[in-house]
């Protein structure tokens, strides 16, 4: 028995064991109590995750995959402990789950070969839950993986890059071709790893920071003094050199500085 791939769930099953192992091994051995895998499908990554000391929890939306994981997934033959302390299968939509409820006061490393249609929402959810998520790794559509990892000065540097890198150090690890999936996707995939910064607290109001970044990139061709008009900035502030730049020219640190300036304006 195997699961039939469904398009609307973004199912592309990885068929190369070597690559599955490499992806599972992107998580560092930092002694996290919990690993959460999103979208395990038939468990190709899961079996490598289960070789670790941590407990592995998987969340899967597809009923058929859930049945496969509960009934067919060869946990015993693989000599992996089957107790609930070690492996738990949860049916449902990751985007609707409350992480704090699933892992009360615990740190959880997140991994997956993510469904591409919701991959950026998964990243934003991880960022929102950063107090509990010290590490986040997995496979994305290559372009999205690059965008998350990209630095300023590039066309694909954007909201996702800045908001992720404000809290995490991002590494682009390797590219995976369509041929190792069933069915093959139309595009290359990329594997990245995010490790939460030691000090990841923002020195500015988070909501304002998010708003500045999003507003600036919504009109990415314009200079900041024009794209940030809705903030009603004073004329003297708008003369600062940073306001003559475009958002893609600003590093994460400069976005933080910019937010500080805006917060002080008019006080
Ligand atoms: N990890 C497997 C499957 C990858 S395909 C492999 O590498 O072969 C992506 C998986 O995510 C599918 O199994 C799909 O059913 C699941 N999925 C899609 N949307 C989801 C959601 N919102 N929450 C949890 N799982 C989801």
């Amino acid at each position: 028995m195997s699961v039939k791939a469904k398009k609307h769930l973004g199912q592309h099953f990885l068929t190369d064991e070597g690559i599955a192992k490499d992806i599972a091994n992107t998580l560092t051995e930092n002694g996290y109590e919990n690993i959460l895998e999103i979208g395990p499908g038939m468990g190709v990554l899961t079996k490598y995750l289960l070789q670790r000391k941590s407990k592995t929890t998987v969340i899967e939306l597809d009923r058929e995959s859930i049945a496969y994981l509960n009934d067919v997934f060869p946990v015993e033959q693989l000599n992996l402990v089957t107790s609930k302390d070690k492996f738990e299968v949860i049916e449902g939509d990751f985007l609707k789950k409350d992480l704090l409820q699933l892992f009360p006061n615990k740190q959880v490393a997140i991994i997956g070969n993510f469904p591409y249609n919701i991959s950026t929402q998964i990243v934003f959810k991880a960022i929102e839950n950063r107090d509990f998520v010290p590490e986040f790794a997995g496979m994305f559509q290559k372009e999205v993986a690059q965008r998350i990892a990209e630095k300023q000065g590039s066309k694909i540097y954007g909201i996702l890059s800045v908001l992720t890198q404000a809290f995490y150090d991002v590494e682009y690890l390797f590219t995976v071709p369509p041929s190792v999936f069933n069915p093959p996707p139309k595009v290359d995939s990329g594997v990245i790893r995010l490790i939460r910064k030691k000090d990841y607290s923002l020195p500015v109001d988070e909501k304002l920071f998010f708003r500045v970044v999003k507003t600036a990139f919504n009109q990415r061709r314009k200079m900041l003094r024009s794209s940030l008009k809705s903030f009603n900035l004073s004329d003297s502030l708008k003369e600062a050199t940073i306001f003559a730049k475009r958002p893609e020219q600003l590093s994460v640190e400069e976005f933080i500085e910019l937010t500080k300036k805006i917060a002080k304006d008019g006080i």
Side-chain angles (χ1 to χ4, degrees), residues 9-14 37-45 59-62 65 92-95 112-115 117-118 139 181:
L9 290 172
Q11 286 181 330
H12 296 277
F13 297 115
L14 187 61
E37 186 192 352
I38 302 168
M42 285 182 280
V44 67
L45 301 182
I59 296 187
E60 172 61 61
L61 186 55
D62 175 34
S65 295
D93 181 343
F94 168 71
L95 296 177
N113 167 11
F114 302 117
N117 48 342
I118 57 164
M139 184 147 59
F181 295 91

Side-chain angles (χ1 to χ4, degrees), residues 11-53:
Q11 286 181 330
H12 296 277
F13 297 115
L14 187 61
T15 54
D16 184 308
E17 291 293 331
I19 293 175
K21 194 172 176 184
D22 287 347
I23 295 173
N25 286 340
T26 57
L27 284 184
T28 59
E29 290 285 356
N30 264 343
Y32 307 125
E33 251 178 284
N34 288 283
I35 295 175
L36 172 64
E37 186 192 352
I38 302 168
M42 285 182 280
V44 67
L45 301 182
T46 320
K47 56 179 173 295
Y48 298 106
L49 297 171
L50 286 171
Q51 290 170 3
R52 292 171 172 247
K53 282 196 215 85

Side-chain angles (χ1 to χ4, degrees), residues 141-161:
Q141 186 177 323
K142 184 181 177 188
E143 218 223 333
V144 176
Q146 286 174 319
R147 187 189 299 278
I148 297 170
E150 196 63 272
K151 298 286 181 202
Q152 72 272 20
S154 146
K155 269 196 180 142
I156 60 170
Y157 177 71
I159 297 172
L160 196 57
S161 334

Side-chain angles (χ1 to χ4, degrees), residues 75-116:
V75 187
E76 278 152 44
Q77 287 97 301
L78 293 167
N79 269 335
L80 304 165
V81 188
T82 53
S83 85
K84 269 223 164 183
D85 304 336
K86 185 76 175 88
F87 181 41
E88 192 171 349
V89 178
I90 298 178
E91 180 176 350
D93 181 343
F94 168 71
L95 296 177
K96 293 190 182 144
K97 293 277 174 199
D98 181 350
L99 283 191
L100 192 55
Q101 207 179 338
L102 287 178
F103 305 97
N105 290 321
K106 290 196 176 129
Q107 299 284 302
V108 53
I110 296 181
I111 190 164
N113 167 11
F114 302 117
Y116 294 164

Side-chain angles (χ1 to χ4, degrees), residues 89-215:
V89 178
I90 298 178
E91 180 176 350
D93 181 343
F94 168 71
L95 296 177
K96 293 190 182 144
K97 293 277 174 199
D98 181 350
L99 283 191
L100 192 55
Q101 207 179 338
L102 287 178
F103 305 97
N105 290 321
K106 290 196 176 129
Q107 299 284 302
V108 53
I110 296 181
I111 190 164
N113 167 11
F114 302 117
Y116 294 164
N117 48 342
I118 57 164
S119 63
T120 52
Q121 285 162 275
I122 292 175
V123 179
F124 282 126
K125 178 151 179 172
I127 294 172
E128 264 168 46
N129 286 279
R130 59 189 172 276
D131 286 339
F132 321 106
V133 184
E135 198 168 320
F136 177 98
M139 184 147 59
F140 293 82
Q141 186 177 323
K142 184 181 177 188
E143 218 223 333
V144 176
Q146 286 174 319
R147 187 189 299 278
I148 297 170
E150 196 63 272
K151 298 286 181 202
Q152 72 272 20
S154 146
K155 269 196 180 142
I156 60 170
Y157 177 71
I159 297 172
L160 196 57
S161 334
V162 176
L163 298 187
T164 308
Q165 293 168 32
F167 308 109
Y168 291 88
D169 291 320
V170 184
E171 256 180 292
Y172 186 95
L173 300 171
F174 54 93
T175 301
V176 179
S179 56
V180 297
F181 295 91
N182 179 28
K186 290 205 177 73
V187 290
D188 276 339
S189 302
V191 176
I192 54 172
R193 176 174 56 209
L194 279 53
I195 296 187
R196 194 176 57 201
K197 294 180 177 176
K198 262 211 181 80
D199 179 6
Y200 63 95
S201 60
L202 283 182
V204 288
D205 178 63
E206 177 191 316
K207 282 211 179 97
L208 184 63
F209 175 70
F210 278 43
R211 195 152 71 86
V212 168
V213 174
K214 287 181 182 166
T215 313

